Amino acid sequence: SCVATLTTPDGAATTARAFVGERITSDAQVVSLGDIQGYVDTSCTVGVKVIGDVGISISVAGDDAVRQCALAKQVATALHRQLKEPPRNPYASPFHSKDPCQPTDQFARELGKVKSIQRPTIVTCEISGSGGRLLVSQEIENLTDHAHGDPLTVAGKEAMRHQETEQKDQCMVMVLLKDAPDGSQFTVHYEISSTSDPCGKATRAANEATNLG
């Protein structure tokens, strides 16, 4: 939800509230909001259906019901296009509904026969196979002062690959998905421990998962 106080030059203030996810009541009356259909209920909340009976509503605070109804309809009419197609958050998380353990079948190609799958948190996954172990983690990382390995491209996205000199059996590939607030990045780490070609396996695993979106 969002609450905004709108003040006119004469000092009159109107406090309006927009709520995403409001259920339009069955007894709400149909009203016209520009070129789309809206609904107004008995409390003078004006809404627009977006998915089924759920949508976005506008209400105005005050103790004058007639004025509240008129202003709620006025604000909703001015915003009618945004109510029907609300602006998207540019920093919306790309991790929503993404299982870090997928695609398990493709990961198994790099790890051999899968022995165990563990999920320490909802954004991490540990897969152990006969030929190695894969740790996948979804992270928000600040890269401003952070150099993290050799640059490469994974499924068309910027990525970095890092391997410690003294740890030839481990390799990590970090894929940069999109910008996050404050100079950070939404990233996914694919770290493989294996006695043979861990960097190649980590890169292939990252490509498989990133190709799925």
Side-chain angles (χ1 to χ4, degrees):
S1 64
C2 175
V3 178
T5 298
L6 316 173
T7 305
T8 55
D10 62 3
T14 299
T15 299
R17 169 183 174 271
F19 186 91
V20 179
E22 191 87 80
R23 183 170 297 279
I24 309 300
T25 60
S26 59
D27 59 351
Q29 301 296 309
V30 175
V31 293
S32 176
L33 304 175
D35 57 359
I36 68 172
Q37 178 176 285
Y39 300 84
V40 58
D41 63 19
T42 54
S43 65
C44 290
T45 296
V46 180
V48 172
K49 293 182 179 181
V50 178
I51 300 174
D53 289 329
V54 177
I56 303 174
S57 67
I58 299 290
S59 59
V60 173
D63 51 15
D64 183 336
V66 174
R67 180 175 181 274
Q68 286 175 258
C69 285
L71 286 174
K73 184 177 179 182
Q74 183 178 344
V75 173
T77 301
L79 298 175
H80 70 286
R81 295 190 187 280
Q82 288 91 334
L83 296 183
K84 191 64 179 176
E85 297 182 11
R88 298 183 181 276
N89 179 0
Y91 294 129
S93 172
F95 303 145
H96 181 65
S97 299
K98 300 297 183 183
D99 182 356
C101 287
Q102 295 297 329
T104 305
D105 289 345
Q106 286 86 335
F107 289 159
R109 296 176 188 172
E110 309 303 329
L111 301 174
K113 184 179 180 180
V114 174
K115 295 180 177 180
S116 68
I117 299 177
Q118 299 180 8
R119 301 169 185 262
T121 71
I122 61 172
V123 294
T124 58
C125 179
E126 296 180 7
I127 305 177
S128 295
S130 57
R133 182 183 70 92
L134 168 65
L135 173 64
V136 181
S137 59
Q138 301 168 340
E139 303 184 19
I140 299 176
E141 193 156 357
N142 192 313
L143 303 178
T144 304
D145 300 313
H146 180 68
H148 207 96
D150 301 320
L152 72 157
T153 300
V154 169
K157 294 187 178 295
E158 183 181 355
M160 300 178 188
R161 183 165 53 204
H162 181 74
Q163 185 179 44
E164 297 289 348
T165 304
E166 66 277 10
Q167 293 180 318
K168 293 299 184 181
D169 60 343
Q170 292 184 11
C171 189
M172 191 271 285
V173 171
M174 178 175 68
V175 182
L176 282 60
L177 298 182
K178 62 178 290 188
D179 291 338
D182 302 323
S184 297
Q185 287 271 338
F186 290 101
T187 68
V188 183
H189 295 195
Y190 302 87
E191 182 175 315
I192 280 191
S193 299
S194 175
T195 55
S196 63
D197 190 25
C199 282
K201 292 178 179 180
T203 302
R204 290 190 292 271
N207 268 292
E208 290 283 3
T210 308
N211 274 324
L212 293 179

